[in-house]
C-alpha cells in the first residue's frame, strides 16, 4: 500500500506533510477545508482548490481562486498530477509537493523540529551529563535557593550523617548523579562538606565553580522564562487590540457600504427628472462623495489586513470587486461604484460572451498581434496603458476596420482627426490602416485629452471624450456649479450630463478588459492568429453601443 502526502516545499510551514486520503480534499485558508493552510499565507484563497484522489489518478481543480492554481509553475484550471509534481497557490504563494511512501510518515514541520532540537542540544551540551537532572529539578526550587533556605534531604537523613556520607563519596570518587544533584541544590550544604578539609584544593575549586555555573544557569533560565512570559503577554495584547480594531473597522465599513447603496437608490430616483430636481441631485451627490471618502479611508486601512472570507462584506457581487480592481488601475480614488455601472458591465459581458462570442474571439486573437506594440508606444509616451483597450472596443484591433460613417483603422479615426494628428489620408494613401503610425497618432490625441481633462478621473474622461468628442465632454463639465470639487467622470455620470452611448462606453471597455484578461474563464482559448484572415475590412463588426 502506498501513502500519498502533500509536503510544504515553500511557505510558512516548510516541511509539513498532509496525508492525502481517497476522495475529494479541499485546500485553503478557511477552517472549513479538509487541509487548512497557515493564516499568514495571504496568497491563498479561503477555498482555493480541490484535489480528487482515486486508485487510478490524482486530479487538481482550481476553485476560481483569486491568484490562481499552478502545477509545476504553470497556471491550470484542472490537471492530473503525479508524485514529484508541485502544486502552487498563485505565482508567489506556498507550494505543496506530492510525495508517495510505502510507509506512513509523520506530519511534523521540519522547521519546528529544527528550532526545538537546536535549543535542547545547545543547552544540554553546556552541562555535564551528571548535572542534567540536577539543573532541571533545581529550577523548581530556585526561589528557595535565592533566600538561602535549607533544603532537607529527600530521604530525611540526619545532616551530619549526610555530610559525612557525601564527603566519603567525593574522596573515593564514587558520588552518583542523585547525590551530586542534592549538593548542587544548596550552597550551604556544599560548604559544610568542603569545610571538612578532606578534599584537595583542585577538587574544592572545581565543585564551587560547578555550583556557581549551575546557579547562574538556573538564573538565566528563570530570567528567560520571565522574558518569554512578558513578551507573550505583550504580543497577545497587541494582537487582541489589532483584532478589536479590525472588527471595529469592518463594522464601520459595512455601515458606510449600506449608506452608499442607499444614496445610489435615492440618486437614481431623483435622476428620473434631473432638470427639475437639480438642487436635490447636487445635494445628494455631495453627501455621497463625503461618505465615499470615509469609505475609501476605511478600505485603505483594511487593505493589507482583510481576510479573503471578509471580502464579501465589501462586495455584494464578485464582479464588483473585479471592476474595483480595474478602476484602481485607472487611477480612481475616493469613489463608490454605482449599482448601475455594475449592472451595465454585467450586461455587456453577457452580450459579448453570448451572441458575439465568435466576434470577441477574433478580437482576442488580434490582441496577441497588436497589443504589445500599443503598450510599448503608450509607455514611451507616458500614457496609462489601460487606454489601449479603447482600440479593442473601437475596431477589435483590426487595422483595416471601416465603420459605416467612414472611421477607419485600429483607432477608428475620421479623416479630419487623422490629418490633425499627422496621418496622411488621400485617394491613394490612407495611413489610418498603418498600425504603428495610427497608434502614435492615437497616443498624441490621448496626450491632448489628458491635458484638457487631467486631474480626477482623467482616464475615464479621456475614454468618454474619445467616444463623444472633447467638445461634448467640455460642455458637460461646464454645467458643474463647483468644478474645483466635482470635475470628474462620476459626477457628470450621476448627474446625467452624458449621452446614453457615452454612458455605456466605459462599461463596454471594462467588460472587454475583463474578458480579454481572463479568456479561459469565458470560454476562449489562445492560439496562433492568422494575420491575413484577421486583417480584413469585411471582418469588422461594430459592437452595439446603446442600451438594449
Amino acid at each position: 500500500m502506498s501513502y500519498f502526502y502533500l509536503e510544504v516545499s515553500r511557505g510558512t510551514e516548510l516541511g509539513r506533510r498532509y496525508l492525502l486520503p481517497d476522495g475529494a480534499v479541499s485546500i485553503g485558508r478557511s477552517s472549513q477545508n479538509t487541509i487548512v493552510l497557515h493564516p499568514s499565507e495571504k496568497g491563498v484563497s479561503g477555498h482555493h482548490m480541490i484535489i480528487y484522489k482515486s486508485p487510478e489518478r490524482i486530479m487538481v481543480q482550481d476553485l476560481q481562486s483569486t491568484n490562481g492554481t499552478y502545477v509545476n509553475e504553470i497556471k491550470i484550471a484542472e490537471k492530473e498530477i503525479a508524485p514529484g509534481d508541485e502544486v502552487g497557490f498563485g505565482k508567489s504563494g506556498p507550494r505543496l509537493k506530492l510525495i508517495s511512501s510505502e510507509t506512513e510518515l509523520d506530519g511534523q514541520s521540519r522547521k519546528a523540529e529544527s528550532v526545538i532540537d537546536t535549543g535542547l542540544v545547545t543547552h544540554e551540551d553546556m552541562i555535564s551529563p551528571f548535572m542534567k537532572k540536577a539543573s532541571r529539578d533545581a529550577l523548581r526550587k530556585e526561589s528557595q535557593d535565592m533566600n538561602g533556605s535549607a533544603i532537607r534531604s529527600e530521604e530525611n537523613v540526619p545532616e551530619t550523617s549526610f555530610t559525612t556520607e557525601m564527603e566519603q563519596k567525593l574522596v573515593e570518587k564514587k558520588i552518583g548523579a542523585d547525590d551530586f544533584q542534592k549538593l548542587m541544590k544548596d550552597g550551604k550544604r556544599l560548604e559544610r562538606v568542603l569545610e571538612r578539609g578532606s578534599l584537595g584544593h583542585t577538587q574544592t575549586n572545581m565543585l564551587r565553580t560547578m555550583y556557581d555555573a549551575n546557579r547562574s544557569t538556573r538564573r538565566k533560565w528563570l530570567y528567560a522564562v520571565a522574558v518569554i512570559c512578558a513578551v507573550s503577554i505583550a504580543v497577545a495584547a497587541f494582537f487582541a487590540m489589532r483584532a478589536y480594531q479590525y472588527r471595529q473597522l469592518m463594522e464601520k465599513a459595512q455601515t458606510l457600504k449600506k449608506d452608499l447603496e442607499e444614496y445610489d437608490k435615492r440618486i437614481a430616483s431623483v435622476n428620473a427628472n434631473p432638470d427639475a430636481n437639480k438642487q436635490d441631485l447636487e445635494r445628494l451627490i455631495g453627501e455621497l462623495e463625503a461618505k465615499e471618502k470615509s469609505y475609501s479611508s476605511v478600505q485603505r486601512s483594511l487593505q493589507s489586513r482583510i481576510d479573503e472570507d471578509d471580502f464579501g462584506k465589501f462586495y455584494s457581487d464578485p464582479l464588483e470587486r473585479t471592476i474595483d480592481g480595474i478602476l484602481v488601475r485607472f487611477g480612481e480614488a475616493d469613489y463608490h461604484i454605482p449599482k448601475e455601472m455594475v449592472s451595465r458591465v454585467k450586461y455587456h459581458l453577457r452580450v459579448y460572451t453570448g451572441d458575439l462570442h465568435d466576434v470577441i474571439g477574433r478580437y482576442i486573437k488580434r490582441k496577441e498581434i497588436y497589443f504589445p506594440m500599443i503598450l510599448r508606444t503608450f509607455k514611451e509616451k507616458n500614457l496609462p496603458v489601460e487606454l489601449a483597450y479603447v482600440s479593442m472596443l473601437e475596431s477589435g484591433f483590426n487595422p483595416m476596420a471601416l465603420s459605416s460613417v467612414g472611421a477607419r483603422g485600429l483607432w477608428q479615426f475620421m479623416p479630419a482627426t487623422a490629418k490633425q494628428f499627422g496621418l496622411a489620408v488621400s485617394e491613394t494613401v490612407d495611413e489610418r490602416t498603418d498600425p504603428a503610425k495610427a497608434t502614435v497618432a492615437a497616443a498624441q490625441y490621448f496626450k491632448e485629452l489628458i491635458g484638457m481633462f487631467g486631474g480626477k478621473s482623467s482616464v475615464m474622461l479621456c475614454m468618454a471624450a474619445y467616444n463623444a468628442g472633447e467638445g461634448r465632454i467640455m460642455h458637460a463639465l461646464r454645467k458643474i456649479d463647483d468644478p474645483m470639487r466635482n470635475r470628474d467622470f462620476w459626477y457628470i455620470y450621476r448627474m446625467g450630463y452624458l449621452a446614453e452611448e457615452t454612458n455605456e462606453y466605459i462599461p463596454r471597455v471594462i467588460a472587454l478588459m475583463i474578458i480579454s484578461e481572463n479568456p479561459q474563464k469565458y470560454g476562449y482559448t489562445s492560439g496562433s492568429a492568422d494575420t491575413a484572415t484577421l486583417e480584413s475590412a469585411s471582418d469588422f463588426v461594430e459592437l452595439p453601443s446603446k442600451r438594449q
Side-chain angles (χ1 to χ4, degrees):
M1 174 181 176
S2 294
Y3 295 90
F4 289 88
Y5 294 86
L6 292 172
E7 183 177 83
V8 180
S9 55
R10 186 174 82 193
T12 301
E13 299 179 290
L14 183 64
R16 181 168 183 174
R17 301 188 190 96
Y18 297 95
L19 178 63
L20 195 62
D22 290 336
V25 177
S26 62
I27 307 177
R29 285 197 297 132
S30 171
S31 59
Q32 299 174 354
N33 290 289
T34 310
I35 295 178
V36 181
L37 297 188
H38 197 277
S40 66
E41 302 287 10
K42 298 301 182 184
V44 181
S45 296
H47 299 278
H48 200 106
M49 70 173 75
I50 287 183
I51 295 184
Y52 300 94
K53 178 176 174 288
S54 66
E56 294 79 25
R57 59 180 181 170
I58 300 176
M59 296 289 296
V60 178
Q61 179 181 350
D62 181 65
L63 292 178
Q64 296 185 343
S65 59
T66 303
N67 297 316
T69 295
Y70 290 74
V71 172
N72 298 329
E73 304 307 326
I74 298 175
K75 192 173 185 179
I76 58 95
E78 184 176 282
K79 184 173 177 61
E80 183 174 346
I81 60 174
D85 288 341
E86 201 170 47
V87 180
F89 300 78
K91 288 185 177 180
S92 59
R95 295 293 185 266
L96 302 182
K97 186 175 183 180
L98 181 64
I99 61 175
S100 64
S101 173
E102 296 302 319
T103 59
E104 192 170 1
L105 306 175
D106 64 70
Q108 176 65 47
S109 167
R110 287 193 218 124
K111 185 176 180 182
E113 288 172 349
S114 175
V115 172
I116 293 169
D117 291 345
T118 301
L120 286 175
V121 170
T122 301
H123 176 60
E124 295 293 340
D125 288 347
M126 292 173 61
I127 305 174
S128 58
F130 62 87
M131 289 180 65
K132 292 179 182 177
K133 191 172 184 299
S135 296
R136 289 195 295 269
D137 292 345
L139 283 172
R140 294 195 294 266
K141 298 184 179 180
E142 177 62 14
S143 59
Q144 291 180 323
D145 289 347
M146 297 299 105
N147 294 325
S149 300
I151 300 176
R152 297 295 180 185
S153 170
E154 290 79 354
E155 296 83 4
N156 294 316
V157 178
E159 189 60 40
T160 302
S161 174
F162 178 79
T163 302
T164 303
E165 182 185 351
M166 290 300 103
E167 178 188 20
Q168 185 67 26
K169 288 182 178 180
L170 284 167
V171 170
E172 295 176 0
K173 297 181 182 179
K174 293 181 180 179
I175 190 168
D178 290 340
D179 290 332
F180 189 83
Q181 173 188 330
K182 295 170 186 177
L183 280 176
M184 291 297 106
K185 284 181 179 179
D186 185 9
K188 289 185 177 181
R189 174 179 285 173
L190 177 62
E191 283 300 324
R192 280 194 289 272
V193 172
L194 299 179
E195 286 171 358
R196 288 174 171 262
S198 301
L199 300 177
H201 180 72
T202 301
Q203 197 173 8
T204 299
N205 288 339
M206 183 188 71
L207 286 169
R208 285 192 175 124
T209 300
M210 293 175 70
Y211 172 78
D212 290 341
N214 187 48
R215 183 185 178 93
S216 176
T217 300
R218 288 180 294 177
R219 283 178 175 170
K220 288 178 180 178
W221 272 101
L222 287 173
Y223 176 76
V225 169
V227 170
I228 290 170
C229 289
V231 171
S232 299
I233 292 171
V235 169
F238 171 77
F239 281 106
M241 180 60 71
R242 292 272 291 180
Y244 174 76
Q245 292 174 342
Y246 177 80
R247 289 193 300 271
Q248 293 292 102
L249 285 171
M250 285 300 303
E251 290 175 5
K252 184 176 181 181
Q254 288 174 272
T255 300
L256 287 169
K257 178 75 171 177
K258 290 178 182 177
D259 291 345
L260 289 169
E261 291 175 353
E262 184 60 32
Y263 272 107
D264 266 343
K265 293 177 184 177
R266 292 165 66 184
I267 289 171
S269 176
V270 174
N271 211 3
N273 191 351
D275 294 331
N277 300 317
K278 182 178 180 181
Q279 288 185 343
D280 288 341
L281 195 55
E282 289 179 342
R283 176 181 57 79
L284 288 171
I285 292 175
E287 293 173 2
L288 178 137
E289 288 177 342
K291 293 281 186 182
E292 283 178 333
K293 289 181 179 179
S294 297
Y295 183 66
S296 296
S297 176
V298 173
Q299 273 190 311
R300 285 192 292 271
S301 298
L302 286 168
Q303 190 170 14
S304 61
R305 299 165 56 187
I306 188 168
D307 188 89
E308 186 71 26
D309 295 333
D310 283 336
F311 270 108
K313 297 174 183 177
F314 282 103
Y315 305 104
S316 54
D317 187 324
L319 182 63
E320 186 179 351
R321 182 180 175 187
T322 303
I323 297 172
D324 189 50
I326 290 174
L327 294 180
V328 169
R329 290 162 56 184
F330 285 179
E332 292 297 303
D334 298 334
Y335 68 91
H336 164 65
I337 305 171
K339 289 288 185 184
E340 175 70 5
M341 174 72 78
V342 178
S343 174
R344 297 313 299 163
V345 172
K346 189 175 291 187
Y347 165 79
H348 291 297
L349 284 173
R350 286 197 302 270
V351 173
Y352 294 161
T353 58
D355 295 340
L356 295 175
H357 185 276
D358 291 342
V359 173
I360 302 302
R362 292 195 294 273
Y363 285 17
I364 292 172
K365 290 184 183 297
R366 281 194 289 261
K367 179 185 175 185
E368 296 175 10
I369 300 172
Y370 297 109
F371 207 65
M373 177 271 293
I374 297 173
L375 292 184
R376 186 169 58 252
T377 302
F378 279 26
K379 286 179 181 177
E380 289 173 356
K381 300 294 183 181
N382 297 314
L383 288 169
V385 295
E386 286 71 26
L387 289 170
Y389 284 95
V390 168
S391 176
M392 188 173 192
L393 178 58
E394 291 287 336
S395 69
F397 295 120
N398 185 348
M400 301 303 296
L402 178 64
S403 75
S404 57
V405 295
R408 192 162 198 174
L410 278 180
W411 298 95
Q412 288 293 281
F413 279 123
M414 294 296 286
T417 308
K419 292 176 182 178
Q420 179 183 347
F421 290 97
L423 296 177
V425 180
S426 65
E427 293 182 359
T428 56
V429 177
D430 193 342
E431 291 184 337
R432 293 178 297 173
T433 62
D434 185 312
K437 290 182 178 179
T439 298
V440 171
Q444 291 172 344
Y445 185 25
F446 278 127
K447 291 276 275 191
E448 188 170 297
L449 291 176
I450 287 178
M452 294 180 187
F453 307 120
K456 293 195 299 181
S457 299
S458 60
V459 171
M460 299 174 78
L461 287 172
C462 284
M463 288 182 179
Y466 200 94
N467 170 255
E470 58 268 29
R472 291 180 182 175
I473 303 303
M474 291 298 294
H475 178 71
L477 293 174
R478 290 191 189 102
K479 294 182 180 181
I480 299 173
D481 291 334
D482 188 356
M484 293 297 292
R485 183 169 67 89
N486 296 321
R487 191 177 184 273
D488 68 356
F489 173 81
W490 295 110
Y491 185 83
I492 60 177
Y493 178 86
R494 287 189 168 102
M495 288 294 292
Y497 290 163
L498 299 175
E500 179 185 332
E501 179 181 342
T502 306
N503 270 344
E504 290 290 291
Y505 198 79
I506 303 298
R508 293 166 68 202
V509 171
I510 292 174
L512 287 175
M513 287 181 69
I514 292 172
I515 293 172
S516 66
E517 293 179 0
N518 304 275
Q520 293 182 343
K521 180 178 178 180
Y522 293 94
Y524 298 97
T525 56
S526 299
S528 59
D530 185 345
T531 305
T533 302
L534 296 177
E535 291 184 357
S536 168
S538 61
D539 177 66
F540 177 60
V541 176
E542 292 187 65
L543 299 182
S545 59
K546 293 186 178 181
R547 186 185 295 264
Q548 296 180 7

